[in-house]
Amino acid sequence: DAGVTQSPTHLIKTRGQQVTLRCSPKSGHDTVSWYQQALGQGPQFIFQYYEEEERQRGNFPDRFSGHQFPNYSSEPNVNALLLGDSALYLCASTWDRGGGDTQYFGPGTRLTVL
Amino acid sequence: QQQVKQSPQSLIVQKGGISIINCAYENTAFDYFPWYQQFPGKGPALLIAIRPDVSEKKEGRFTISFNKSAKQFSLHIMDSQPGDSATYFCAASKSSNTGKLIFGQGTTLQVKP
């Protein structure tokens, strides 16, 4: 049973560029949440996707957007990258009808903005 | 506004000792409190979680103690091992807000052999 997978592992971009991240949830899960983890900090909630729509959003600007596909995978985009966007981006999945509390995290994508 | 405060920031414990990490929350609507363990270069892994209807939950060497009136909860790692050396995060969420975990700042634990 595959866990949460994310790609790519690492990304290097320059300021102003756009980036797309990818996540496949754990088998059987239908809800995907995204978190940003700056170095030495706890993860911060960006947004959550359920039934192909953004269901919740944290305190992040609309430069952060995304999609969820019918197979429950998710691809967030970050536009007009800033140096401060450098972080580990974590995808977490859960099963909404199973209560949704227990979230399983992927290994993350390390984004470096130069 | 930091809704979940975690302490200490770092902790050094001898092998076989007890590691204790504390968290305090502000929002009384929180009703799910997990602890995650994170190794360098890896995503957080769920360790143990508790709901406010119980004051303690134990799984192997890991125990959560929960004090609803004080809005505090803690993780106790008994018989700490070098393999436990990692960063630990407490978190909280509301069932009505499924999936939006609010994390503490993390505690880096080093267990010395």
Side-chain angles (χ1 to χ4, degrees):
Chain A
D1 178 22
V4 180
T5 60
Q6 292 186 245
S7 64
T9 306
H10 294 91
L11 270 175
I12 299 175
K13 294 287 185 179
T14 56
R15 281 178 296 174
Q17 284 189 312
Q18 175 190 354
V19 67
T20 299
L21 310 177
R22 296 174 185 83
C23 171
S24 292
K26 183 178 170 64
S27 179
H29 286 185
D30 58 6
T31 304
V32 173
S33 300
W34 285 91
Y35 293 79
Q36 180 194 66
Q37 185 177 23
L39 203 60
Q41 304 293 318
Q44 285 199 303
F45 177 81
I46 303 174
F47 40 45
Q48 181 186 76
Y49 284 89
Y50 174 68
E51 294 188 339
E52 301 179 50
E53 290 189 357
E54 183 181 293
R55 180 164 68 175
Q56 296 188 73
R57 189 176 187 89
N59 190 24
F60 279 80
D62 57 11
R63 297 187 296 112
F64 290 76
S65 63
H67 296 91
Q68 185 182 35
F69 299 98
N71 66 352
Y72 308 118
S73 66
S74 177
E75 291 185 1
N77 302 293
V78 187
N79 296 319
L81 285 168
L82 305 173
L83 295 179
D85 295 331
S86 295
L88 181 68
Y89 287 84
L90 295 163
C91 172
S93 73
T94 189
W95 179 43
D96 185 78
R97 289 178 182 79
D101 286 331
T102 303
Q103 293 194 54
Y104 295 86
F105 282 83
T109 293
R110 172 72 62 187
L111 172 64
T112 302
V113 182
L114 302 176
Chain B
Q1 181 185 15
Q2 188 178 353
Q3 296 189 57
V4 179
K5 295 182 179 180
Q6 184 172 344
S7 63
Q9 187 174 359
S10 63
L11 183 61
I12 300 175
V13 173
Q14 291 295 128
K15 179 181 175 181
I18 302 173
S19 304
I20 301 173
I21 305 170
N22 300 298
C23 279
Y25 64 97
E26 299 171 2
N27 191 336
T28 55
F30 288 148
D31 57 4
Y32 176 72
F33 303 91
W35 284 90
Y36 282 85
Q37 178 190 59
Q38 186 175 30
F39 293 103
K42 304 290 185 182
L46 180 65
L47 206 53
I48 186 172
I50 197 168
R51 293 189 183 278
D53 52 344
V54 295
S55 60
E56 186 174 282
K57 183 175 181 179
K58 183 177 180 180
E59 289 183 2
R61 296 186 294 111
F62 301 92
T63 299
I64 299 179
S65 297
F66 185 82
N67 185 329
K68 188 175 181 179
S69 61
K71 294 188 287 185
Q72 294 176 347
F73 59 110
S74 60
L75 176 69
H76 296 233
I77 306 174
M78 312 299 288
D79 187 27
S80 298
Q81 299 297 313
D84 296 331
S85 297
T87 301
Y88 292 80
F89 292 96
C90 63
S93 70
K94 296 183 282 187
S95 292
S96 60
N97 217 5
T98 304
K100 183 178 180 180
L101 288 168
I102 307 299
F103 282 85
Q105 294 295 93
T107 296
T108 301
L109 170 66
Q110 182 184 358
V111 180
K112 290 192 168 182

